[in-house]
Amino acid sequence: MGPCDPNDNAPRLYHVADDAAVTSGLAWIATTPSFAQASQLKRDVFAFDFCSLATTPDGTVYFQTYSQLWKVSP
């Protein structure tokens, strides 16, 4: 399924441009493993449903789940 499939509820990471509009300005950021794969392997039932997130000036994104810290680098 593609990143914009309304029937797919797998978590995804998107970059939203400063000038984003209704139909433009979103860029899907693929991760390895994908969040869908990580969700299947996780031990936390709600790991990506209720997590904290922070970004750094270089574009690195950190996700804090209940038991893990994920780092997504540009």
Side-chain angles (χ1 to χ4, degrees), residues 54-71:
T55 60
T56 63
D58 72 354
T60 301
V61 179
Y62 291 93
F63 292 89
Q64 176 65 57
T65 68
Y66 288 116
S67 64
Q68 297 178 328
L69 178 64
W70 289 74
K71 177 184 177 184

Side-chain angles (χ1 to χ4, degrees), residues 2-25:
C4 294
D5 184 340
N7 298 314
D8 183 5
N9 62 2
R12 288 193 170 67
L13 179 63
Y14 289 90
H15 176 266
V16 181
D18 291 335
D19 61 350
V22 176
T23 59
S24 66

